Amino acid sequence: MSGARHFLTLLDFTSGELEGLIARAIELKEMHKAGQRHEPLRGKVLGMIFEKSSTRTRVSFEVGMAHFGGQAIFLSARDTQLGRGEPIEDSARVLSEMVDGVMIRTFEHEKVERFAAYSTVPVINALTDMYHPCQLLADVQTWVEARGPIRGRTVAWIGDGNNMCHSWINAARQFDFRLNIASPEGFDPDPSVLDAAGDRVTLTRDPHEAAEDADIVTTDVWTSMGQEEEQKRRLEAFRGYQVDAALMAQARPDAMFMHCLPAHRGEEVAAEVIDGPQSVVWTEAGNRLHAQKALLEFLMG
Ligand code: CP
Ligand code: NVA
């Protein structure tokens, strides 16, 4: 309905634009560390709609807007008319009259698509049941700033074929790396997302096979937000899919361990791995700030 660019999945941007964002994120991080002020969003406001909990996403967007001289406002479904059934389309048009960008964390991916269709300001997906593209910007940045280009590298995804897995699949397409997924039967990624990635992405039941010679080993919780009542069944299904030292030993000796967090030690990852020398999870979390600043500058600057 409007010419505003949105970031609902990694496929909304070209590979070149994504590469540009990563380079800019690294630059913005250096500028911030050097104490350099950069306020391209002075006077601008980001509306942040949260229908699920968050620590990293909320703080990184809020701090990013503060660094840029703008402001962010937190809108929870519980305290707004969204939670009382005001149509998404109406909310999108109302917020477009007031704010300069909107960030949404919700359940159905279709909700952010509907919101974006009626929004005249940029809309950012801050996690849906299907995708978590902002996290992937930070994850790719974490690799690139330490090791250089990710093109041609191998990533192993161990565990649930969930929103993070789907975004890793899209990242493999856009940044051109190999992705080996190991998930238990019944927890595969969405076939349409998987098939679109072609032979760059493989699916196996064997975590050790997936991790072989990987440059990055990554995982996520076995029970995502909104799936709490399935927890018991999931704990059983995912037994054998923990990223532990033996699994890391299959990967390259200098492989990085990544996790979007929050993590459950003793479930999807062993403490020895997430708290060990190959783990980059704290840098990865910190890079949410810098990668999203690059995104905000691109969309709202
Ligand atoms: N990784 C991530 O999105 O964390 P939060 O749920 O804390 O925002
Ligand atoms: N898959 C997790 C990611 C949390 C950042 C969830 O959706 O709960």
Side-chain angles (χ1 to χ4, degrees), residues 53-58 105 127 132 135 225 260-262 288:
S53 304
S54 169
T55 297
R56 280 144 288 267
T57 304
R58 177 179 176 178
R105 169 169 287 198
L127 184 146
H132 194 7
Q135 181 68 50
M225 290 182 276
C260 64
L261 305 177
R288 293 293 303 279

Side-chain angles (χ1 to χ4, degrees), residues 54-67:
S54 169
T55 297
R56 280 144 288 267
T57 304
R58 177 179 176 178
V59 175
S60 52
F61 273 111
E62 249 183 80
V63 171
M65 286 303 292
H67 284 181

Side-chain angles (χ1 to χ4, degrees), residues 92-214:
R93 285 178 283 196
V94 169
L95 286 180
S96 293
E97 294 288 327
M98 302 184 195
V99 300
D100 304 286
V102 178
M103 181 237 82
I104 310 178
R105 169 169 287 198
T106 188
F107 294 86
E108 303 85 359
H109 187 72
E110 185 249 343
K111 255 190 186 177
V112 296
E113 290 179 334
R114 263 165 59 211
F115 193 104
Y118 285 85
S119 173
T120 56
V121 298
V123 176
I124 297 170
N125 174 5
L127 184 146
T128 62
D129 290 345
M130 273 303 275
Y131 299 104
H132 194 7
C134 290
Q135 181 68 50
L136 261 292
L137 296 179
D139 295 357
V140 173
Q141 181 192 344
T142 304
W143 174 271
V144 171
E145 70 185 359
R147 306 280 179 90
I150 196 165
R151 172 167 293 116
R153 298 291 187 160
T154 300
V155 178
W157 172 270
I158 312 297
D160 195 12
N162 64 11
N163 46 8
M164 275 298 302
C165 180
H166 293 152
S167 282
W168 272 106
I169 293 171
N170 283 345
R173 290 174 63 178
Q174 295 289 61
F175 292 98
D176 194 18
F177 56 82
R178 289 199 61 76
L179 177 66
N180 301 332
I181 299 167
S183 37
E185 203 169 344
F187 299 93
D188 291 350
D190 187 290
S192 65
V193 178
L194 184 65
D195 293 347
D199 56 12
R200 237 190 238 98
V201 181
T202 63
L203 176 63
T204 167
R205 301 277 169 242
D206 181 357
H208 287 261
E209 186 188 319
E212 213 174 297
D213 291 329

Side-chain angles (χ1 to χ4, degrees), residues 248-279:
M248 285 303 291
Q250 300 291 307
R252 291 176 60 92
D254 62 350
M256 285 181 173
F257 172 75
M258 291 192 189
H259 191 309
C260 64
L261 305 177
H264 293 85
R265 288 170 178 77
E267 290 184 21
E268 77 275 5
V269 61
E272 62 190 353
V273 172
I274 192 167
D275 299 317
Q278 286 172 275
S279 172

